[in-house]
Amino acid sequence: MYKHSDSEEYISLHDCRAEAARFEGGVLSFVFPDGFWTSPLHPENISDATVLTGPSQADFRIKGGGWDGIAVRLFHWNDGGNSAGEIWKPEDFINAVNAGEFSVEFITRRNENALLIFECWLVCDTPPYHLDCEIKLNCEAEAYLWNELRYDRPW
């Protein structure tokens, strides 16, 4: 289905929105209709700019292949600036994404011990318009799948 499969070396999900997700065969996948960012250092990128791909997908192979390798936490902020975390079952999170309740906008990525951690916004059309979210993955491999680069969409 996709022509290219890359590691994270040349890819950034910063400010990219996933509008679908699934968990099959121990792999958590996010689908990005508007693509994700590809570095000018990528061998396929003939420009000097970071550019978007076309529609793309990010796959994360979870160690052990089970739901217990995925943790999702939502943060609700009160008027005093304090947050309260709410743990979501990963399957409920995926179902909500696929039902169109929100899209997942990836903000930052970090590795902490054996975990891959994404700070995200859950973006919706109704107030509060977004919620802070943390996705922790006990990930043994990741692949970023895409077909073409969009030179008309530089960073």
Side-chain angles (χ1 to χ4, degrees):
M1 182 169 165
Y2 292 98
K3 296 177 189 173
H4 303 279
S5 176
D6 291 311
S7 68
E8 80 283 358
E9 180 180 4
Y10 301 111
I11 304 297
S12 174
L13 298 181
H14 179 71
D15 284 346
C16 297
R17 285 193 189 175
E19 295 185 6
R22 68 180 171 277
F23 186 60
E24 295 175 349
V27 176
L28 175 63
S29 300
F30 289 99
V31 176
F32 298 85
D34 294 327
F36 44 63
W37 298 107
T38 306
S39 160
L41 301 176
H42 192 289
E44 296 290 326
N45 187 347
I46 59 172
S47 75
D48 291 331
T50 298
V51 297
L52 280 174
T53 65
S56 57
Q57 178 174 308
D59 288 346
F60 303 95
R61 178 164 302 286
I62 304 301
K63 287 183 184 172
W67 289 106
D68 59 344
I70 304 168
V72 179
R73 189 170 180 189
L74 304 181
F75 295 94
H76 304 276
W77 295 92
N78 65 25
D79 292 338
N82 298 315
S83 69
E86 173 188 347
I87 296 174
W88 254 21
K89 292 169 107 180
E91 52 266 52
D92 292 342
F93 171 76
I94 290 170
N95 289 338
V97 171
N98 293 332
E101 292 180 29
F102 51 79
S103 59
V104 183
E105 183 170 332
F106 288 75
I107 306 300
T108 63
R109 167 207 168 104
R110 71 181 189 276
N111 292 30
E112 197 172 284
N113 299 321
L115 296 176
L116 177 57
I117 303 170
F118 291 102
E119 302 292 335
C120 304
W121 284 352
L122 304 183
V123 180
C124 59
D125 295 330
T126 57
Y129 301 110
H130 82 274
L131 294 171
D132 292 337
C133 172
E134 179 182 75
I135 302 170
K136 289 185 179 182
L137 305 175
N138 191 354
C139 181
E140 63 185 12
E142 53 193 297
Y144 297 86
L145 311 168
W146 54 279
N147 287 326
E148 73 278 341
L149 296 176
R150 299 277 318 272
Y151 296 108
D152 61 325
R153 299 287 308 273
W155 189 309

